[in-house]
Structures are given as structure tokens and as C-alpha cells.
Amino acid sequence: MEPPTAEAVLQGVFTLYNDPNNVEKEKASKWLEEFQKSIHSWKIADELLQQKHDLNSCTFAAQTMRNKIQNSFHELPVTAHESLRQSLLEHISHITLETKSVIVTQLSLALADLALLMSTWRKPVATLLERFSPNPNMMYALIELLTLIPEEVNSRHLRLGENRRKEFLLELESDSTLVAEYLTVCLMNCKESELLIGKILKCFTSWVQINAFKLPEICDSMIIVYCFQLLSNANTSSDLHEFAVDCLCSLLNLLEMNKTGSDLDEKLFNGILCLEEAYNASVTHEDLEKSMNFCRLFTVLVESNLVRMVAFSEKETPHHTVKSLDLVLNCVGHYDYEVAEITFNMWFRLSEDLYQRNNYMLTAHFKPYVERLIAALYKHSQLDPDHDGLVEEGGSFQDFRDRVSEIIKDVIFIVSSISCFKQMFLVLQNPNVTWESSEAALFIMQNVARNILPEIMELGERDDIPTSRFNQLCEESEVVPKVVEAILNLPENCHIAIRYTSINILGELCDWIDSNPETLQPVLNFLLFALQQKNGLATAAANSLQSICSACKKHMLGHISGLMEIARCLDSFEIQYESAIGLLKGISIIIGRLPGPQLTPAMQELCAFQVEALSRITNGDDDGLNVKKTRSDPGFWLDRLAAIYRHVTPPPPPHQANTSEVNPCAFVIINNWNVLSRALERYKNDSKIMERIVRCIRYAIRCIGKQAMPILEPLVKQIITIYSGHNHSCLLYLGSILVDEFAVEEGCTQGLLNMLQAFIEPTFGVLQMENGLKNHPDMVDDFFRLASRFIQRAPLPFLQSPLVTPIIQCGLLACTLDHRDANVSVMRFFCSLLRHEKASDLQPIVQSILLSHGEALIMNLLYASVFCLHSYMLTDVAEVFVEIKQHSPQQLEEYVKKAVDSLPKKNSGGSVTVTHEQMVKFVTDVVRSKTARATTQALQDFARLYR
């Protein structure tokens, strides 16, 4: 763009914020965006800050300055760094308490980022304290700077690199005493200003979070003492209350990270225990914000002590920190369930630790606390007495109950599902029990019901559980038949929520029903009646029927006629979309267990309901299907048909049987092919419908395998034709399924290679466009999955074909793609390409590929690891390094050395990014690593030097 003027930028900002014409606002926004990217914006942003024309222009200029430093610092020559620093310091010096906070924040962030990036600026914190601390009017600006500098240390946007970050952290540690002293002086001098007190607490917290303070030096800090004073005072404002809790939570996290006992540790523990009365006062005054703050503090207290609390409770007496659980449980009992929800992650962590240790005596110490937790959750899960229907779908209370379900399933082993089930049953037997209490008890039972049978079996195999306890649990388990009987005999006038939850319990008891088949018939009768109800009951019944079909396969065979009748009437029931598909899944599972002569007609009938409707739609004749909008949607019927194809799985023929035995599903699937073929042609312009058609075909082919041969040739021709005009990546995925099933078959390999060749031109045409790889990750994912399947199923024909080289070259470009699934497919392609026995016929071909492309591959992989990919994605990259090493450690070492040497050694601020010693260490670690995990660690450590 042409060099703009300050006046032009001012006009653009004015238009953006004040022009009523949206078209003009949009044009101004785009122009200003381009301006911010230009090199001219450095100078003009500085001018606008000096002019102080108006709030909007100053805000825009401050944001521009911050963005430029953060994202485009490399544009400035080193000689300009000092003048930029002086300019920012000058702007900062004009900040007052009246300056708008957004400008203060942006200018402070700009200077903080500059301090981190500008390696020639030594001891920036000391410099700022020396320049601004003598001036009381600069307290606000200086504290803001001192807050943001430690916060920005770990900013990934700056790409400081591990070396610079460590260097800067050491500088901050050396200045931490000065900062603590300055903040203490500020606190003593500004107790009338709530704004400044809040800033001081936030600043202190940010230095705690980077572990800059020496713990003995802050043990008696006035700021910590003041935090406790604020929390003990009922008149403290909500903001200061939150800042004080943030500060103490950060200290607790710091102590947990350091894992060393100290005076501060004990002071915090005892001080927080003394805040129980203050919490109770917040409940009395119905100050929900403060109650939530206290709950967070108590929860972090437990989490910070969790390791030693569990580790030192294995003896008869639990560790003294266990008493902090009482504080948390007090909060769980709060009248608002949002407070209880804050504690859930802590209970999950506790349950994980106890589960891993698998120690009965240890678990017993925590049992009373978990019992209290479940009792509180039971109360929180109760609906309002005047509630008419079911829990509102998608509402906050439904979300809470979903989380309650998760946490109960996590912790229930501590108290046993059987005991919990019995306790809730006792609630139901109370003669004065209200309907909402009954429903909540049933809800808790629903979440533990599936564990009851496995729990009895598991406990019987353990030798560390007292016999008396095991016998007690067996006795308690006798309550299950009573619960089932009570559910089956629910009065007609019971609340709909009770009936709904009871239906769900029957589904969760599917394993128990399988072990007690005498209950199956009455349960099915109950669920069949519920299927014919409305207001959500039919959906619950469908879900429970699916669970029972999956668990009771053997016993359900005798009920196949009833299941088929349900399938015939499926659309007369008021069932949600996913639940109807789930019910078809359950019926399909049972059909799959029928003998062949019965299976084929049953599957044919089940498919017919879906195929006939789909046939009418694809022929353009959807009369009678428009009763509901979804019925005229082909995806509705395709999803149902896919569920049947996926879950009708006949048992494999006996080992000694003739492997050419006809699959009983083959006739049905091949007979239905024409409808799916018509659907492919009819909906080739609709990517969403195409994905569902492909999913259906995929399950069809997986169901009958090589017996789908009659449809192979027409299918391949059709998808090649469609793909040439409509680049649906799902067709590439379908191609990989075909390769997996048929590439080993004589006469199919060449045809499938021709299919791959036909796919390549349109695929590369899309991926070679500007940002093609980034904008089409699904295509990358599916294409390289297809290539990998060829290597796995027909390696020699594939590797000898001329298609390999362009595919490899495309893979080299795709190495930098930071889309998880796409990158995994690319890495697996390279692994498959290299993973062959040295003695095999493929070895010379693979070695030739490695010689031609190995250096570029390692170069691209290392560049991607350092600059493009997330750390969690480097595991798959490491696998490729390992495969190359299997072929030749010497080649790997040579390639890695060249790749490392090509990377920059300094960042834009002039700091050393990677030393020679670090480069040598990385090469050595990669070459000597014996596992993919070790290689991953080496890549992650090296990448951190650039981040």
C-alpha cells in the first residue's frame, strides 16, 4: 500500500467508530487492518500517541504498537530498538489514574513485550523501578507494567525461545526483592484506593505465578497478611475479595509445584482453615460471588496437598491435611449447585490417585468424605417441587446433572456402587418421601446401576477386602430385584420425571438383567409400553432397549419377532433422531446372531423400511414422506441404513469351515446397491449428503468384505467420475476402504491403482491453490490415508508405480500442516513408506526413496516441529525419525545435522535461540534414542528453544 499519512489513519478510525454507513465502516476496517500490517504503521502509531487526538485514535495507536512489537518485531533494525524504547517510556510517563484502562494496558503490553524481545535492554524491571518509583503519580502505570512483564514471559506469540525465557526469568528472580519491597510500600500508601490495592494484589500474584519470589522472603509478607484480612472482612468488595483469593491460590499452586515443606506452607494451611467462618458469613449474606471465591480457595488448598494427603494416609491414621476436605464439603453443601461444581475436578483427581494405588485401607479413609459428597449431590440434583415435566434439555441444570453423573462414576468405587444403590433405595422407602426426592435418588441410582454386577465379581476376586465387608455388599446387592420390581409396578399417576429416570435405570441395569434373565420379559413389556408414550419417555425407552439388546444378546434372540414389530412401527413412536438410530442398532445386533436362513429375510425386512423411502426420494417421488420435515431428508434414511449395515455382524464361520461360505448379509446389501448408486448421482453436489452415503457404503462393504465384489467395478467408476467434478474428500476415504478390502485380490490391484491415479490430478489441483493445504485438511487426511492403505495392502505395485514420487512431494509440503488428523495421516504415510523388513524385496526401493527424499523429509519435519506444529503433535513426527533410523542411523544423523544447521541461531531481538552445544545435544539425542517417546522428548525440548 502507498505510504499513508497520520491524517488518513485518523479519518479511517473516525469512520470505523462513527460512520452510520456499514459499508463504509467495513471498508475502513479492512484499510486499517492492511495499514497495521505495513511497515509505516510503526511511525504513524507513535505520532498518533503523541497527538492524543481522541480516545479511539489513541486506543487504535496503542493496539497497533502492541501488535507490531508482538508480531512484526523483525521488521525493525536493531538500531531502531533504543528509540522505540525511549518513545514508549515517554508515552508511559504521561499515564494518570484518569487514562483509559485499555490504553494503559496496550501501552504497558507493548513495553513489556519490548523488554522481553530486546536482548540489549538489561535489567528492565530495575530500570523501570529506578525511573518511575520515586514519582507517586506513576504508581498506577508502574504497577501495571510490573504485572504484565511476568505475565508475558510465557506468551507463545512472542516466540522468545527457551534460552531467552530462562535468561529473563533469572533477571526477574534477581529483581523480585525490589518488586516485593515496592509493592509493600505501595500498599502502605494507598489503602484509600481500591483500584490501586487491586492492582497491587494482581501484580504480586503475577510474580508468584512465575515462581520469581524466594519463599522465605515472602513468608511474612504484608501483602499475604493483607489478603487474609480482606477475606476475613465481610465488608470487602467483590473485586478485592477475588484478587485476594487469586493471590492465595497462586501461592498454593507454587507450593505444590515446589513440593517442599516450608513455614509459608503451614501458615497458608492454617490461615485458610480459619476462613470457614468467613465462608459461612458469605452464605448467610447470600453473597454468591464470595462463596464461590472461598470454594475455589478451599478446593485449591486440597489440590495443592493432594499428593501428600493420599501418600501419607496409607497407615491407620490419615494425614492431617485431610481435614481440608471438610472445608470443601461445606461448600458442596451450599444452596447453589454452581458452588459445588467448582470442586468437581478436585474429586476427580482424588479418585484417580486412589484408583491407581488400589489400596482398600487407604480408600476406606476417604469413604466418609465421598459419602457426604454423594449425599450433597443427591440434594442438588432434586428438581423444584412445582416442576411439571422433565429436566430442560440443554439448560444449565441439565448440564449440572450431566457433570454430577460424571463425578459419581469417577468416585463411586470408593464407597461401592452397591452401598450407594442401597442408600438411595432407603430414601425411596421413606413413607414421607416427596416426588422430587424420589426422582433424585433414582437419578443417583441410575449412575451406579451399571457397576453393580461387575463390582460384585471384582470384589470376590480381591483378597485385601475383609470377608465381612464382602458379605455385607452381597447382602446389599439383594436390593436390586426390589428396585426393579418397584419400577415395573410404578403407579400410573407417578410424576413423569420419576418414570423417565426409572426407564433409564433399567437400561443401566442391562448387565444385571442378562444375569437374571427371568426379569427380561417384564422389563421388555414395561419398555414397550413406554415406547408408546410421549414427552420424552419413548426416547428413554428406546435408549434402554438398545442397551439391553447389546448386553443380553443371547436372551433377546427369543424376542426377535417383537423387535421386528418395533422396527415396523418405529416412525409411530415419538423418539428422538439419535435414539431411533440407536434402537435400530440394538435390533441389528440381535439380527446378527440369527442363523443364516433367518438372518437374511430379517435384515432384508429391516433394511426395506429405509430403502423404500430412500428410493422414493432419489427418484424425486417423496409423496407421503413430508409428514415430518426430516422424512424427506435422504440423510435421515441413510443414517438408519448405515446403522443396520454397521451392526448386523454375523459370527465368522468356524475355523475349519469353508471360507467361501456366503455371507447371509451379502444378498441384502448387493440387492440394495442400486438405490445407493442413484443417491450418489443425485446428491453429488451436496457434500453433507455425500458423506452420509459414503458412510453407508463403507459399512456395507465392511459387513460383507470381499463378497461385495459385484459392486466394486461400478462403484469405482462412479466415484472417479463424481470426484473429477466434485472434490468430495469422503470419496477418497471410501477409496481407502476399497483398497483395504480388495487390493490383495488378484485382478483388483491395477484397477485400484488406476482409481488412485484418477484421484491425484483433481486432489493436487485443490491442494496446490493458495492456502490449499490449510483450507482443505480433510482432503489431506483422506488422501494420505488412501496412500497408506496402498502401502499396507499392495506395497510392491504401489512403490513401483510412477505415482509415488508426486505423492511424496505433496507429503513433504503437508508436513507443516497443523491440523491434527491431517498431520497424523501424513506422518503415518511416511512411516508406512519406510516400515519394511530389511530382507524384503521392498528394501532397495525404500532405500532409493530415502536417498532421494530423506534429507528434504527431515528438513521439513524439523522445521514443522519448531515453527508450525503443536507440541502434542510431535509424537507422530518422532515415529518417522525412528523409521529412518531403522534403515540407517548414519543417514539420519547426516540429515538431522543439515536440518539443524539450516535453522536461525538468533531471534529478532538479537537473543541466541540455540547454542552450538544445544544443537549437538539434540542431534545426539535423536540418533541415540531407542524409542519414539525419547525422540518425541528430544523434539519437544528442541522446539521450546524457538517458542
Side-chain angles (χ1 to χ4, degrees):
M1 67 189 296
E2 289 292 317
T5 62
E7 289 71 24
V9 176
L10 277 172
Q11 183 58 49
V13 172
F14 180 84
T15 302
L16 179 64
Y17 287 101
N18 299 291
D19 198 312
N21 187 325
N22 286 331
V23 175
E24 292 301 315
K25 286 169 89 78
E26 182 66 24
K27 282 168 60 178
S29 176
K30 288 182 179 177
W31 186 86
L32 290 171
E33 196 175 313
E34 287 302 310
F35 160 75
Q36 285 185 318
K37 293 177 184 175
S38 75
I39 198 163
H40 310 292
S41 57
W42 289 101
K43 183 171 180 256
I44 291 178
D46 189 34
E47 287 179 21
L48 293 179
L49 285 169
Q50 290 175 20
Q51 291 176 13
K52 297 186 180 64
H53 191 275
D54 57 32
L55 174 62
N56 289 334
S57 65
C58 287
T59 302
F60 175 77
Q63 288 171 337
T64 301
M65 193 66 82
R66 186 269 171 106
N67 287 337
K68 295 299 287 185
I69 291 172
Q70 189 180 82
N71 302 311
S72 307
F73 193 62
H74 59 275
E75 291 178 354
L76 284 183
V78 176
T79 53
H81 292 178
E82 180 57 32
S83 60
L84 175 61
R85 180 178 75 150
Q86 293 302 331
S87 179
L88 284 173
L89 286 169
E90 181 62 24
H91 294 312
I92 293 282
S93 68
H94 292 103
I95 290 175
T96 66
L97 281 170
E98 285 70 43
T99 307
K100 292 296 181 182
S101 62
V102 63
I103 298 175
V104 177
T105 300
Q106 293 300 318
L107 280 177
S108 299
L109 278 169
L111 190 59
D113 289 347
L114 180 64
L116 288 157
L117 288 165
M118 188 175 162
S119 58
T120 54
W121 186 0
R122 297 294 177 185
K123 307 283 285 181
V125 169
T127 304
L128 293 171
L129 283 168
E130 184 181 349
R131 175 163 179 169
F132 295 129
S133 64
N135 183 353
N137 296 324
M138 287 303 301
M139 188 186 297
Y140 173 47
L142 181 54
I143 293 174
E144 183 76 1
L145 277 168
L146 294 176
T147 303
L148 292 173
I149 287 174
E151 287 182 359
E152 288 293 285
V153 168
N154 293 309
S155 168
R156 294 299 172 192
H157 296 291
L158 295 179
R159 299 195 77 92
L160 290 175
E162 190 74 0
N163 290 329
R164 173 60 178 163
R165 191 168 285 110
K166 284 182 177 178
E167 175 189 38
F168 200 85
L169 280 169
L170 288 173
E171 282 192 10
L172 294 185
E173 286 177 33
S174 68
D175 292 333
S176 62
T177 305
L178 292 173
V179 171
E181 290 172 355
Y182 176 68
L183 293 177
T184 302
V185 170
C186 291
L187 186 63
M188 293 168 64
N189 294 331
C190 71
K191 290 196 175 179
E192 298 302 316
S193 171
E194 186 175 308
L195 172 65
L196 286 174
I197 292 171
K199 293 287 183 184
I200 291 165
L201 295 183
K202 282 186 68 176
C203 184
F204 187 82
T205 301
S206 71
W207 283 72
V208 169
Q209 287 170 340
I210 61 164
N211 198 12
F213 291 128
K214 301 172 184 68
L215 293 181
E217 289 186 8
I218 61 169
C219 185
D220 298 317
S221 169
M222 180 187 292
I223 294 174
I224 298 174
V225 174
Y226 191 66
C227 284
F228 279 107
Q229 290 175 4
L230 289 171
L231 296 179
S232 301
N233 186 347
N235 297 319
T236 299
S237 71
S238 296
D239 285 345
L240 286 185
H241 197 275
E242 183 177 356
F243 293 148
V245 167
D246 288 343
C247 183
L248 295 181
C249 285
S250 297
L251 286 164
L252 290 170
N253 290 329
L254 176 64
L255 291 168
E256 181 186 11
M257 183 174 65
N258 287 334
K259 296 178 182 175
T260 54
S262 67
D263 291 342
L264 180 59
D265 196 342
E266 289 304 309
K267 283 187 177 183
L268 286 177
F269 186 83
N270 294 325
I272 294 171
L273 286 185
C274 293
L275 292 174
E276 185 171 13
E277 283 305 312
Y279 165 76
N280 292 335
S282 74
V283 178
T284 303
H285 295 120
E286 298 187 3
D287 193 332
L288 183 58
E289 284 186 42
K290 287 185 180 178
S291 294
M292 294 177 79
N293 287 338
F294 278 121
C295 182
R296 180 161 57 92
L297 178 60
F298 298 157
T299 302
V300 173
L301 177 66
V302 174
E303 288 180 324
S304 66
N305 287 292
L306 205 54
V307 172
R308 60 177 179 160
M309 182 191 296
V310 174
F312 297 137
S313 294
E314 293 187 336
K315 299 176 183 177
E316 291 187 11
T317 306
H319 192 255
H320 75 276
T321 54
V322 166
K323 67 179 88 168
S324 58
L325 286 172
D326 289 314
L327 289 176
V328 171
L329 283 166
N330 192 11
C331 297
V332 174
H334 191 278
Y335 59 81
D336 193 307
Y337 63 78
E338 287 185 42
V339 179
E341 214 167 357
I342 293 169
T343 72
F344 283 5
N345 188 62
M346 181 276 293
W347 294 110
F348 169 73
R349 284 185 58 187
L350 174 63
S351 67
E352 280 285 287
D353 202 344
L354 291 174
Y355 187 79
Q356 294 296 328
R357 292 174 187 270
N358 196 23
N359 182 313
Y360 177 75
M361 180 181 287
L362 173 62
T363 302
H365 287 314
F366 293 92
K367 180 180 175 182
Y369 299 101
V370 175
E371 287 175 337
R372 288 168 59 191
L373 169 68
I374 292 174
L377 294 178
Y378 150 70
K379 290 182 180 178
H380 280 304
S381 299
Q382 293 181 20
L383 291 158
D384 291 332
D386 58 352
H387 190 90
D388 287 334
L390 303 178
V391 179
E392 182 187 352
E393 285 287 332
S396 59
F397 189 59
Q398 176 67 58
D399 292 341
F400 172 72
R401 296 238 300 195
D402 289 344
R403 292 204 67 197
V404 168
S405 296
E406 292 171 8
I407 202 65
I408 287 177
K409 289 170 184 176
D410 285 332
V411 304
I412 195 61
F413 73 93
I414 300 171
V415 298
S416 93
S417 301
I418 303 162
S419 296
C420 177
F421 205 82
K422 183 182 179 184
Q423 286 304 117
M424 292 297 118
F425 183 64
L426 293 176
V427 172
L428 298 177
Q429 290 185 308
N430 186 328
N432 299 317
V433 68
T434 60
W435 77 262
E436 66 272 14
S437 297
S438 297
E439 193 278 334
L442 289 166
F443 169 71
I444 300 297
M445 294 164 81
Q446 171 192 328
N447 289 299
V448 303
R450 196 174 289 252
N451 294 341
I452 287 175
L453 187 68
E455 192 172 271
I456 295 172
M457 297 169 65
E458 182 188 343
L459 293 174
E461 295 172 358
R462 293 184 59 163
D463 55 11
D464 64 334
I465 296 176
T467 304
S468 59
R469 176 62 181 147
F470 176 68
N471 292 337
Q472 179 192 352
L473 291 172
C474 289
E475 288 174 15
E476 290 176 344
S477 68
E478 293 175 7
V479 78
V480 180
K482 297 176 183 176
V483 172
V484 173
E485 183 182 359
I487 289 173
L488 297 180
N489 292 289
L490 282 173
E492 286 189 18
N493 64 346
C494 75
H495 195 285
I496 186 173
I498 290 179
R499 191 172 292 276
Y500 177 84
T501 308
S502 298
I503 293 169
N504 288 334
I505 289 178
L506 293 178
E508 292 299 307
L509 283 171
C510 56
D511 292 322
W512 182 88
I513 293 170
D514 187 42
S515 296
N516 297 268
E518 69 280 2
T519 62
L520 182 57
Q521 185 63 59
V523 166
L524 290 177
N525 292 340
F526 181 86
L527 293 177
L528 182 57
F529 176 77
L531 266 179
Q532 300 166 61
Q533 305 305 303
K534 296 184 177 181
N535 302 321
L537 296 183
T539 291
N543 294 337
S544 290
L545 267 174
Q546 177 194 335
S547 297
I548 290 171
C549 286
S550 299
C552 309
K553 302 181 188 73
K554 181 174 68 174
H555 303 302
M556 287 297 289
L557 276 173
H559 300 276
I560 189 65
S561 59
L563 292 174
M564 293 302 295
E565 185 60 32
I566 289 172
R568 292 185 194 100
C569 304
L570 189 61
D571 289 320
S572 68
F573 303 135
E574 198 174 273
I575 302 175
Q576 287 181 0
Y577 182 75
E578 291 296 334
S579 299
I581 290 174
L583 187 51
L584 283 174
K585 168 188 170 181
I587 296 171
S588 301
I589 288 170
I590 305 306
I591 288 176
R593 303 212 22 124
L594 291 170
Q598 296 176 41
L599 188 155
T600 303
M603 182 179 178
Q604 190 170 18
E605 183 181 358
L606 192 62
C607 290
F609 308 137
Q610 333 307 327
V611 170
E612 288 169 10
L614 189 60
S615 180
R616 290 200 295 272
I617 294 173
T618 53
N619 284 327
D621 176 19
D622 59 357
D623 291 343
L625 296 175
N626 270 315
V627 179
K628 290 185 179 179
K629 186 178 180 182
T630 51
R631 301 293 190 269
S632 59
D633 176 7
F636 179 86
W637 307 102
L638 286 163
D639 290 348
R640 289 185 171 194
L641 190 59
I644 298 168
Y645 286 167
R646 182 179 186 181
H647 296 287
V648 177
T649 51
H655 193 60
Q656 66 273 19
N658 185 355
T659 54
S660 63
E661 182 179 329
V662 175
N663 186 311
C665 303
F667 171 79
V668 180
I669 287 173
I670 292 171
N671 197 43
N672 293 338
W673 162 245
N674 286 336
V675 174
L676 291 177
S677 178
R678 276 205 311 275
L680 278 171
E681 186 58 36
R682 174 84 185 264
Y683 298 105
K684 60 188 177 184
N685 294 321
D686 190 324
S687 60
K688 296 296 182 186
I689 298 297
M690 286 295 290
E691 285 176 8
R692 291 156 99 169
I693 298 170
V694 163
R695 187 189 302 123
C696 195
I697 296 172
R698 164 198 172 191
Y699 289 131
I701 290 169
R702 289 301 196 195
C703 181
I704 60 175
K706 295 172 181 57
Q707 293 185 29
M709 190 72 77
I711 66 174
L712 177 61
E713 187 174 345
L715 173 59
V716 169
K717 286 180 179 177
Q718 190 171 10
I719 63 176
I720 286 174
T721 303
I722 293 173
Y723 190 76
S724 65
H726 308 81
N727 309 133
H728 301 302
S729 72
C730 60
L731 297 177
L732 298 174
Y733 180 80
L734 181 56
S736 71
I737 301 296
L738 299 178
V739 170
D740 198 38
E741 291 289 347
F742 298 105
V744 294
E745 295 297 300
E746 190 175 346
C748 291
T749 308
Q750 189 55 49
L752 291 170
L753 278 170
N754 293 341
M755 175 190 73
L756 175 63
Q757 185 169 11
F759 282 154
I760 282 180
E761 185 177 343
T763 300
F764 286 6
V766 171
L767 298 182
Q768 286 171 354
M769 292 189 294
E770 186 178 357
N771 293 322
L773 292 164
K774 184 178 180 180
N775 294 336
H776 301 279
D778 291 343
M779 184 175 284
V780 176
D781 181 14
D782 292 326
F783 180 78
F784 282 97
R785 182 187 281 109
L786 169 60
S788 296
R789 285 277 167 81
F790 260 111
I791 298 171
Q792 293 156 9
R793 306 298 279 169
L796 194 58
F798 176 77
L799 293 175
Q800 288 177 334
S801 76
L803 308 178
V804 176
T805 299
I807 293 175
I808 290 174
Q809 289 169 342
C810 181
L812 291 172
L813 295 175
C815 285
T816 58
L817 188 60
D818 67 348
H819 185 280
R820 172 64 173 164
D821 293 337
N823 197 270
V824 166
S825 289
V826 173
M827 295 306 123
R828 286 180 181 168
F829 163 73
F830 282 118
C831 284
S832 300
L833 192 67
L834 300 164
R835 190 175 291 148
H836 297 291
E837 296 293 331
K838 290 191 175 182
S840 73
D841 296 338
L842 303 172
Q843 176 62 16
I845 303 175
V846 174
Q847 195 59 43
S848 172
I849 289 171
L850 195 55
L851 283 171
S852 301
H853 304 286
E855 184 177 329
L857 176 58
I858 290 294
M859 191 82 73
N860 289 14
L861 288 177
L862 189 57
Y863 179 86
S865 300
V866 167
F867 295 111
C868 306
L869 305 181
H870 301 286
S871 288
Y872 66 83
M873 298 171 68
L874 300 187
T875 303
D876 302 291
V877 176
E879 295 282 356
V880 183
F881 278 76
V882 170
E883 292 302 330
I884 295 176
K885 183 183 174 184
Q886 297 297 324
H887 285 275
S888 173
Q890 292 79 20
Q891 276 182 298
L892 177 65
E893 183 173 10
E894 178 190 339
Y895 296 156
V896 174
K897 280 181 178 177
K898 287 184 179 178
V900 167
D901 198 50
S902 69
L903 295 173
K905 308 302 182 291
K906 288 187 176 183
N907 65 19
S908 55
S911 297
V912 173
T913 305
V914 56
T915 66
H916 177 72
E917 292 75 16
Q918 287 170 327
M919 289 191 292
V920 171
K921 182 180 184 301
F922 170 66
V923 174
T924 304
D925 288 345
V926 168
V927 175
R928 291 183 181 175
S929 62
K930 296 180 180 178
T931 63
R933 177 179 290 186
T935 306
T936 302
Q937 189 62 57
L939 284 168
Q940 290 174 340
D941 291 344
F942 189 73
R944 272 195 290 271
L945 297 173
Y946 287 85
R947 294 181 176 179

